[in-house]
């Protein structure tokens, strides 16, 4: 049996057209090997296809060919209808278009939209005749578009997926997507949402006794030491150290003698 995790060992021969067709799929799924979700196996598969006669220039031409006037119009509709939503701290773009006929290069238009607008996550809905085609792309590891599209009867992988939905309107499908977003996109808990305000700090010219009194009042184990005028953090003083200093009659000693000067900071968002 062929080892499917190593395409090089597959006992199969392709013609150049078949190799190019499969190569287009790899280029599409990996964003021309630009997605962080691209795996070593993707490169191995591409190398094997190259050995089978895959013409990279043909694939490049197919993926970068100029858009027709009709495609430009569809792309304009996707631009106009694109809206960004904050889902648990992740920016997700939803856009849509409608036409009475099938659009064969819909995924290409979605790629163009992502590249031109620097979009990280997009869900594009295309109502074509009696069904809606969903194309989803993600460059954010917190958004698994394959899992979301699978919930709608489609499939794909973490970074690229699609689905075809019948018997639902665009509005109904949007509602379904939002329900999936809030249940499947990882919440982004940021420091800003948890930290207390205003911060409890102590100025650098204060004493160990001052620090101990402050920490006892607020129930703190440590307190930042800041410059008097700039409020810039210059150190950390701990409750245990301050307590020992006071118990050894060193309460009048300045904080600079005992505070920790090596510390880490984190941005609020």
């Amino acid at each position: 049996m062929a080892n499917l995790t190593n395409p090089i060992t597959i006992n199969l021969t392709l013609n150049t057209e078949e190799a190019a067709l499969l190569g287009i799929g790899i280029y599409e799924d990996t964003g021309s090997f630009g997605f962080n979700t691209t795996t070593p196996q993707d490169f191995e598969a591409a190398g094997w296809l190259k050995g089978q006669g895959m013409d990279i220039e043909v694939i490049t031409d197919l993926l970068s060919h100029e858009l027709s006037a009709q495609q430009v119009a569809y792309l304009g509709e996707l631009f106009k209808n694109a809206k960004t939503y904050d889902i648990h701290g992740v920016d997700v773009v939803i856009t849509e278009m409608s036409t009475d006929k099938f659009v064969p290069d819909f995924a290409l238009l979605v790629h163009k939209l992502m590249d031109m607008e620097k979009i990280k996550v997009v869900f594009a809905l295309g109502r074509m005749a009696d069904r809606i085609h969903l194309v989803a792309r993600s460059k954010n590891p917190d958004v698994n578009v394959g899992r979301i599209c699978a919930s709608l009867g489609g499939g794909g992988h973490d970074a690229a997926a699609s689905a075809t939905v019948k018997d639902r309107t665009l509005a109904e499908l949007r509602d379904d997507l939002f329900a999936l977003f809030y249940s499947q996109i990882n919440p982004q808990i940021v420091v800003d949402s948890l930290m207390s305000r205003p911060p409890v700090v102590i100025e650098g010219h204060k004493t160990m006794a001052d620090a101990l009194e402050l920490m006892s009042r607020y129930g703190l184990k440590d307190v930042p030491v800041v410059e008097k005028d700039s409020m810039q953090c210059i150190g950390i003083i701990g409750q245990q150290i301050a307590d020992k200093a006071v118990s050894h009659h060193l309460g009048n000693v300045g904080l600079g003698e005992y505070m920790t000067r090596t510390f880490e900071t984190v941005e609020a968002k």
Side-chain angles (χ1 to χ4, degrees), residues 150-161:
S151 299
L152 296 169
H157 57 72
D158 295 7

Side-chain angles (χ1 to χ4, degrees), residues 182-261:
Y182 283 107
S183 65
Q184 297 195 25
I185 294 180
N186 294 335
Q188 302 296 293
I189 300 175
V190 296
V191 174
D192 183 74
S193 65
L194 298 176
M195 69 184 191
S196 58
R197 295 182 178 85
V200 178
V201 299
I202 188 168
E203 295 174 352
H205 66 279
K206 299 287 187 177
T207 66
M208 299 296 288
D210 294 329
L212 181 61
E213 189 278 329
L214 179 68
M215 286 184 280
S216 298
R217 188 194 321 160
Y218 289 98
L220 302 175
K221 292 184 177 180
D222 301 274
V223 67
V225 182
V226 300
E227 292 280 11
K228 181 178 181 180
D229 297 323
S230 66
M231 291 295 289
Q232 180 179 355
C233 186
I234 58 174
I236 303 290
I237 191 69
Q239 191 271 341
Q240 286 186 337
I241 293 176
D243 187 51
K244 286 182 179 180
V246 172
S247 66
H248 287 83
H249 308 292
L250 298 172
N252 291 327
V253 175
L255 297 177
E257 294 294 325
Y258 291 101
M259 71 182 185
T260 300
R261 298 179 184 274

Side-chain angles (χ1 to χ4, degrees), residues 84-126:
T84 303
Y85 300 90
D86 185 321
I87 309 295
H88 294 317
V90 176
D91 284 340
V92 177
V93 173
I94 298 181
T95 187
E96 61 188 50
M97 55 157 285
S98 295
T99 178
D100 292 332
K101 57 185 178 181
F102 177 69
V103 179
D105 293 325
F106 188 49
L108 172 64
L109 300 182
V110 177
H111 272 300
K112 292 285 188 183
L113 177 68
M114 286 190 77
D115 292 341
M116 296 173 71
E117 294 297 294
K118 308 299 181 186
I119 295 171
K120 294 293 186 182
V121 182
V122 63
F123 287 79
L125 311 178

